[in-house]
Amino acid sequence: MPDRRPVRPAERTAVRPSRRPVRPSVGPGPLLTAAAVVVDGAGRVLVRALGNVPGRPGLPGAAVAGAETPEAGLARALARELGLHAPVGRLLAVDSLPAAGPRARAAVVHLHLVGPLGPQEAAAAAAVMPGWVAPQEAYGLLPEPDGARLRAALAALRTGSVAHLAGGAAQPGSPAGLDPARRSALEHAGALDAASHRAARPKALTAASALLTDAAGRVLLVEPAYGRRGRWHLPGGGVDSDLGETPRAAVRREVREELGLDVQPGRLLAVNWSHKPGYPARIRFLYDGGVLDTGALTAIRLPPGELLAWHLATADDLRDLVKPSLRRQIKASLRARAQGTGPLELHAGRPADG
């Protein structure tokens, strides 16, 4: 159910720190460095050289040696600076800087996600580098272009993409970090080629859910094994649009995977649009899954490790079990099913017409 999973690093690569002597790469090519965007469970960022720690404020990292990958160089730097052996996560941003003079070299900076660190890891890192700060504070502490790099990297983290930077500035067509007003101005000026236009356009995540009830009208909910305990969801999940899957096919697949039931989806009851600033919009298709008889309920089988339990909830139960937006979506869909109306257009569970 990829649409409901909490934000996590998409990929992590466990890299052992290199034991070779560290020598920055030499030659005519650009100097390659790697920096870590280390975050904790509260969304704070680790910044070096705060308080009584000497040196220029910056993100943890180091120059990459000639035989190293950026991931290996960053793992080495984190082990040396912080005693931290957390996996190096996905690439968030790439920044390039021109040479500052005739004898200088151009530079390329890779920014990778590390974390979120657990409480014990975060405390251990803070003991070595006391610099856990909120992102907005970090932007002001860091010199440019480091602050701009961090801002773009965190934008890439929220949107699940990568920022393309030059001197800390997001380039036209960058999938993340490009100011929305500038992106819109570039589009209206016809300054983006087709590939850059696709890359820079805002993205949306699409999911499909099934409204399944028993003969008494109670709604079937499932409890995921991830995220906050006690938060229940409708059966369903993300639409694999990259495989050509449609929302209707996705909800049938998800119900089969989650409940072990092959239910042919009925009519579309509602489409919900929700948006949180800085994150991709989310679109949910809600289908009528029908009424499950005793035999179907008895046949339910949950996938181990993904779902913990299923539950039949009355309308009054929903307030304590599901988030307000989903509760509004469920109640609107129940009304559409009972009245034979719809499909409804909902925004965060509320009718689009107000």
Side-chain angles (χ1 to χ4, degrees):
M1 300 179 292
D3 68 301
R4 297 193 300 265
R5 293 187 187 278
V7 176
R8 297 190 181 99
E11 295 181 2
R12 288 184 172 183
T13 305
V15 182
R16 293 183 179 179
S18 172
R19 296 183 179 179
R20 297 188 181 94
V22 178
R23 301 187 185 88
S25 55
V26 296
L31 176 68
L32 178 60
T33 63
V37 180
V38 186
V39 298
D40 68 359
R44 298 180 302 172
V45 182
L46 191 63
V47 177
R48 77 149 72 98
L50 294 177
N52 296 323
V53 181
R56 178 176 180 266
L59 299 175
V64 178
E68 286 183 317
T69 63
E71 293 84 355
L74 191 52
R76 167 180 54 77
L78 292 173
R80 183 194 65 206
E81 288 190 64
L82 303 174
L84 182 62
H85 298 280
V88 175
R90 72 179 184 85
L91 180 67
L92 296 177
V94 177
D95 191 13
S96 58
L97 297 95
R103 290 179 169 271
R105 294 168 60 189
V108 175
V109 183
H110 283 210
L111 287 89
H112 285 264
L113 176 66
V114 176
L117 301 187
Q120 292 183 340
E121 288 179 311
V128 179
M129 185 182 291
W132 285 111
V133 295
Q136 290 295 334
E137 184 179 353
Y139 302 150
L141 289 169
L142 294 170
E144 294 301 336
D146 293 351
R149 285 183 193 141
L150 176 61
R151 188 187 300 272
L154 291 177
L157 172 61
R158 291 189 293 267
T159 57
S161 53
V162 177
H164 169 207
L165 312 175
Q171 297 305 286
S174 174
L178 189 63
D179 180 77
R182 181 164 179 250
R183 186 261 307 160
S184 180
L186 290 169
E187 288 180 343
H188 287 114
L192 297 178
D193 57 74
S196 296
H197 182 268
R198 287 193 301 272
R201 285 298 302 167
K203 308 300 188 292
L205 302 177
T206 309
S209 298
L211 184 72
L212 297 155
T213 61
D214 67 354
R218 296 177 298 179
V219 178
L220 191 147
L221 302 175
V222 293
E223 183 183 14
Y226 51 82
R228 177 179 167 184
R229 292 295 304 273
R231 283 293 189 188
W232 296 73
H233 302 275
L234 289 173
V239 178
D240 291 336
S241 56
D242 55 341
L243 299 177
E245 188 175 53
T246 64
R248 182 172 291 274
V251 75
R252 184 173 185 177
R253 171 183 56 78
E254 286 284 350
V255 170
R256 185 170 58 249
E257 292 174 355
E258 294 185 349
L259 304 178
L261 304 177
D262 189 12
V263 175
Q264 178 65 45
R267 67 188 184 88
L268 180 64
L269 298 173
V271 178
N272 184 74
W273 171 276
S274 61
H275 177 253
K276 180 180 178 181
Y279 291 82
R282 291 176 177 266
I283 304 169
R284 185 196 303 269
F285 292 79
L286 294 104
Y287 291 92
D288 185 358
V291 178
L292 301 179
D293 57 23
T294 302
L297 294 171
T298 303
I300 291 176
R301 296 293 182 269
L302 302 180
E306 185 173 356
L307 296 178
L308 299 176
W310 61 274
H311 176 68
L312 290 168
T314 67
D316 291 336
D317 295 334
L318 295 176
R319 177 173 295 275
D320 297 324
L321 298 176
V322 301
K323 292 181 180 180
S325 174
L326 180 57
R327 182 172 70 246
R328 293 191 292 267
Q329 294 173 55
I330 292 173
K331 290 188 173 182
S333 296
L334 286 171
R335 288 193 298 270
R337 178 207 260 185
Q339 298 169 4
T341 57
L344 305 175
E345 181 186 353
L346 306 176
H347 293 177
R350 298 183 177 90
D353 59 7

